[in-house]
C-alpha cells in the first residue's frame, strides 16, 4: 500500500465532509425558492401573486406581457398561453420537489438551466449589471448540485439511484 493511498480519506469520511452539508443546505434553500414560487402562483397567496392558477389566473401573463427587451415580441406572444403556463408551473414545482428531496438532480439541472435562461432572456437587461443576475447564479448552483451528487446528503439521492 503506497503512502498516497493511506493518506487519502476513506469513502465514508469523504461522504461526511462539511462541504457536502453546505451543498445540501444550499440545495434545500434553492428547492424552497422554486417550491414556494409554485405554491404562491398555484394558490395566489398574496406574497408574489394576487390570485392563483387554480382561480383561473395565468401565472405567465403578467410577467411576460410586460417584458421589455430584445425578445419582447416573442415573450408577449407567449404570455397567457396554456402550454406556457403548464410548462412554467410544472417546471417550478418539479424543480422544487426534486431539489428538496434530492432526486433527479441531473434532470433538474438541465430543465432548471433552460428555465433560468428563458427567465433571464425575458428580463433583459438586468438593472444593476450588464448581463449577470440571479438567474445565472441559480443555474450554476443547479449544475453544481447535480455534478456533486448533492442529493445524497440530507436527501433521497442515494436510495433513488438504487431504484434506477
Amino acid at each position: 500500500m503506497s503512502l498516497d493511498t493511506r493518506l487519502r480519506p476513506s469513502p465514508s469520511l469523504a461522504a461526511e465532509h462539511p462541504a457536502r452539508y453546505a451543498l445540501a443546505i444550499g440545495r434545500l434553500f434553492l428547492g424552497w425558492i422554486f417550491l414556494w414560487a409554485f405554491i404562491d402562483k398555484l394558490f395566489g397567496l398574496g406574497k408574489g401573486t394576487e390570485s392563483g392558477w387554480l382561480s383561473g389566473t395565468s401565472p405567465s401573463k403578467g410577467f411576460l406581457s410586460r417584458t421589455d427587451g430584445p425578445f419582447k415580441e416573442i415573450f408577449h406572444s407567449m404570455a397567457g398561453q396554456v402550454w406556457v403556463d403548464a410548462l412554467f408551473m410544472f417546471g417550478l414545482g418539479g424543480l422544487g420537489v426534486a431539489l428538496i428531496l434530492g432526486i433527479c438532480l441531473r434532470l433538474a439541472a438541465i430543465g432548471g438551466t433552460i428555465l433560468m435562461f428563458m427567465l433571464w432572456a425575458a428580463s433583459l437587461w438586468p438593472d444593476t449589471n450588464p448581463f449577470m443576475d440571479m438567474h445565472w447564479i441559480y443555474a450554476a448552483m443547479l449544475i453544481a448540485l447535480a455534478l456533486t451528487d448533492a442529493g445524497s446528503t440530507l436527501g433521497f439521492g442515494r436510495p433513488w439511484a438504487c431504484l434506477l
Side-chain angles (χ1 to χ4, degrees), residues 45-130:
L45 301 176
K47 295 293 183 183
T49 56
E50 294 304 318
S51 62
W53 196 28
L54 293 177
S55 302
T57 301
S58 168
S60 69
K61 188 172 185 175
F63 173 68
L64 292 178
S65 63
R66 289 191 294 272
T67 60
D68 187 35
F71 308 111
K72 68 180 178 184
E73 290 83 17
I74 295 169
F75 290 113
H76 289 186
S77 69
M78 293 169 60
Q81 298 288 327
V82 173
W83 65 273
V84 173
D85 291 343
L87 284 174
F88 180 59
M89 291 298 287
F90 288 119
L92 288 176
L95 275 170
V97 170
L99 289 169
I100 288 175
L101 295 179
I103 61 174
C104 298
L105 294 185
R106 289 184 183 140
L107 181 61
I110 293 167
T113 299
I114 292 168
L115 177 63
M116 292 300 101
F117 172 75
M118 296 296 288
L119 291 171
W120 173 80
S123 60
L124 282 176
W125 294 104
D127 293 333
T128 59
N129 193 294

Side-chain angles (χ1 to χ4, degrees), residues 30 33-34 113 116 133-143:
L30 190 58
I33 288 171
F34 288 116
T113 299
M116 292 300 101
D133 70 358
M134 67 179 182
H135 297 103
W136 291 120
I137 305 302
Y138 290 171
M141 183 72 176
L142 287 166
I143 293 166

Side-chain angles (χ1 to χ4, degrees), residues 7-31:
L7 293 177
R8 205 174 298 146
S10 70
S12 62
L13 289 175
E16 298 302 320
H17 195 275
R20 296 198 57 79
Y21 286 97
L23 284 169
I25 290 168
R27 186 194 85 233
L28 292 168
F29 288 171
L30 190 58

Side-chain angles (χ1 to χ4, degrees), residues 1-9:
M1 178 184 297
S2 72
L3 180 63
D4 181 47
T5 306
R6 284 181 280 147
L7 293 177
R8 205 174 298 146

